[in-house]
Amino acid sequence: MRLAIFDIDGTLIRPSTGWLATQTLRNEGILGRRDLVRGAYYQLLLTLGFLNYESVVKTAMKVLVGRTEDEVRGWFSRSFKEQGRHRFVKVAVDLLLEHKEKDDRIVLISGTSRVIGELICGYLPVDDLVCADAAVVDGKISTQIIQPVPYKEGKIPYAEAIGKECGLSLDDAVFYTDSIADLPLMERVGEPIAVNPDFRVGRIARKRGWRIIDDKRPCSLDEL
């Protein structure tokens, strides 16, 4: 048995759960066209390294502050059933299921919302889920983001804690991701694998001899 760690955005689902969340909030009338343009601009700055991910999360969470988790979960649940569950990457889902058959411990670590992560876990056999989350105060979502945010170096302490809890070493772990943001955890595990990688992490993977998987064929979780 070993840890099989998966990123979510761009690895298990394309284009991202951020896209799904944006569509959801737009359909609910919470986001307008100006908000969508601003969000795309922030995403570009984040990708280029000009913005801190926690700042982006806090900005995105502002539209949810004061809402109940049940209300937000209802929005995302409807959107996930209508759109999200059909946008998974077949090769990544197949790999996850293969690891489960080997009795490996399946771990999802992502900077996406915990609510969306839990919806994914309703379909896939996941043992541990770590996502970005906000504290709930008096039953309402607050502006307080739980630390550390599982992004870049912030993923490592969560992976280490899970490994320690179940007696499994990261030195023997496999980690699947598409993003250069995950380079710190890729360098920490025993077997980093780039799945449909972005240009930067693909270049590093080729240089270091890491396995690369290029296969963007979609699948629906209904097929499982």
Side-chain angles (χ1 to χ4, degrees), residues 175 177 179-180 182-194 201 205 210:
F175 176 43
T177 184
S179 175
I180 189 63
D182 285 328
L183 184 61
L185 185 53
M186 294 182 84
E187 293 176 328
R188 177 66 182 83
V189 301
E191 186 180 1
I193 298 178
V201 78
W210 293 343

Side-chain angles (χ1 to χ4, degrees), residues 151-165:
Y151 185 75
K152 288 189 173 181
E153 296 85 355
K155 290 190 175 185
I156 294 178
Y158 289 110
E160 290 177 335
I162 292 170
K164 183 177 181 180
E165 176 187 342

Side-chain angles (χ1 to χ4, degrees), residues 108-127:
L108 303 187
I109 304 182
S110 171
T112 191
S113 161
R114 175 177 57 83
V115 172
I116 295 179
E118 289 174 349
L119 290 172
I120 294 172
C121 292
Y123 288 84
L124 297 176
V126 175
D127 297 299

Side-chain angles (χ1 to χ4, degrees), residues 120-161:
I120 294 172
C121 292
Y123 288 84
L124 297 176
V126 175
D127 297 299
D128 299 281
L129 172 70
V130 178
C131 290
D133 201 7
V136 176
V137 179
D138 296 328
K140 303 291 181 65
I141 295 173
S142 75
T143 57
Q144 181 183 346
I145 306 299
I146 295 174
Q147 300 293 329
V149 176
Y151 185 75
K152 288 189 173 181
E153 296 85 355
K155 290 190 175 185
I156 294 178
Y158 289 110
E160 290 177 335

Side-chain angles (χ1 to χ4, degrees), residues 47-84:
T47 301
L48 295 175
F50 296 130
L51 274 184
N52 176 274
Y53 187 75
E54 184 175 348
S55 299
V56 175
V57 171
K58 286 183 176 180
T59 300
M61 288 295 295
K62 285 181 179 178
V63 299
L64 303 180
V65 171
R67 310 274 186 172
T68 67
E69 277 197 300
D70 287 343
E71 182 181 17
V72 173
R73 187 175 290 107
W75 297 340
F76 288 141
S77 179
R78 288 192 294 274
S79 184
F80 189 83
K81 289 178 181 178
E82 293 169 1
Q83 302 180 62

Side-chain angles (χ1 to χ4, degrees), residues 19-31:
W19 174 87
L20 177 64
T22 298
Q23 295 302 309
T24 300
L25 297 176
R26 183 181 184 182
N27 292 340
E28 294 294 331
I30 295 170
L31 294 182

